[in-house]
Amino acid sequence: MIIYGVYIVSKSGGLIFNLDNNVPRIEHEKTFTYPLDLVLDYDPKKVSVAFNRKDGINVGHVLVAVNGMAVNGATLEDGRDVKTTLESADNFPINLKFSRPKMTTNEKIFLASMFYPLFAIASQLSPEPKSSGIELLEADTFTLHCFQTLTGVKFIVISETGLNGMDLLLRKVYELYSDYVLKNPFYSLEMPIRCELFDNKLQELLLQVEKTGINNIDK
């Protein structure tokens, strides 16, 4: 049982908490000949694929190693410039390893703001009044589970597909939020959650669920 992440969205649509619990690191490794048939974007913070695809390496994937040597930003561990290395025919054939990029905090905030109107649209499309909105969104590689409280705060859990009883986990996360966040005298509503005790209790809960299953959650 795999839980990829937990997100909490405020009633106004802002992301106030996120936890990356078990994000898969998908890597693709291939030996290339000169000239390199991938167009790369050499940003100071990362080297990524800008155009073309090859054997599972797609646009947006980030270069993480060259001939087994880790890439830090746009340079190799030994200080060499990645662009200069890849533009020299003398360095080929060359082995490159690419990985799916990790979402930044800004990207997560943007996605949370996009989910808010989608949730509202789903509620309005319902043929029955007072619809609860999106509770389950299933894709081929993950499932999104959502629970909205009476005050409009949304609790979202991203998990592997085919799991049952996730509503129990969502309500348990809500209990932790009520006990360790709302009762914190230093927390203000609608503000990002920075509560170490809540973080620790949530991680303990997810670890327990992954080891023993949802039905064994402590009451």
Side-chain angles (χ1 to χ4, degrees):
M1 177 174 291
I2 301 176
I3 306 297
Y4 295 129
V6 177
Y7 301 84
I8 302 177
V9 180
S10 70
K11 63 180 180 181
S12 60
L15 181 67
I16 58 176
F17 179 83
N18 75 91
L19 172 67
D20 292 327
N21 181 59
N22 195 341
V23 179
R25 183 178 177 86
I26 301 176
E27 295 184 343
H28 299 278
E29 189 172 0
K30 181 177 174 58
T31 299
F32 292 85
T33 57
Y34 188 83
L36 188 65
D37 51 1
L38 292 174
V39 178
L40 302 180
D41 177 32
Y42 297 93
D43 186 90
K45 296 182 179 179
K46 63 181 179 181
V47 178
S48 59
V49 179
F51 182 75
N52 210 352
R53 58 177 62 188
K54 191 83 171 181
D55 297 335
I57 302 171
N58 298 317
V59 173
H61 282 193
V62 176
L63 182 64
V64 295
V66 176
N67 288 335
M69 183 176 295
V71 174
N72 298 316
T75 60
L76 297 171
E77 276 188 335
D78 60 2
R80 288 181 296 159
D81 182 70
V82 173
K83 183 177 182 180
T84 303
T85 302
L86 298 182
E87 289 180 345
S88 174
D90 296 335
N91 296 321
F92 286 78
I94 195 168
N95 181 270
L96 304 179
K97 181 183 288 187
F98 292 85
S99 174
R100 188 178 68 179
K102 186 177 180 180
M103 278 199 301
T104 65
T105 300
N106 287 337
E107 289 171 336
K108 293 176 182 177
I109 293 174
F110 174 75
L111 291 175
S113 66
M114 292 296 293
F115 182 78
Y116 179 77
L118 289 176
F119 189 94
I121 291 173
S123 301
Q124 295 174 10
L125 289 176
S126 172
E128 297 293 333
K130 298 182 179 180
S131 169
S132 61
I134 298 174
E135 292 185 350
L136 182 69
L137 186 63
E138 192 166 5
D140 57 343
T141 57
F142 73 94
T143 303
L144 181 150
H145 311 265
C146 180
F147 167 65
Q148 179 176 246
T149 67
L150 294 176
T151 57
V153 179
K154 298 172 184 63
F155 293 82
I156 300 170
V157 170
I158 309 296
S159 74
E160 64 176 333
T161 58
L163 299 185
N164 297 318
M166 294 300 291
D167 54 334
L168 179 60
L169 174 61
L170 285 165
R171 282 164 174 76
K172 189 65 179 179
V173 175
Y174 175 48
E175 288 180 15
L176 295 179
Y177 168 79
S178 300
D179 290 339
Y180 299 104
V181 177
L182 294 183
K183 294 179 181 179
N184 185 342
F186 300 103
Y187 176 69
S188 300
L189 293 176
E190 299 286 313
M191 297 301 292
I193 298 172
R194 295 184 177 89
C195 178
E196 184 177 354
L197 190 55
F198 173 70
D199 292 350
N200 294 338
K201 292 295 183 180
L202 179 57
Q203 290 175 359
E204 290 175 7
L205 172 64
L206 298 181
L207 183 62
Q208 179 186 357
V209 167
E210 292 184 337
K211 286 185 175 180
T212 64
I214 296 176
N215 294 329
N216 295 316
I217 294 178
D218 296 332
K219 301 296 183 180

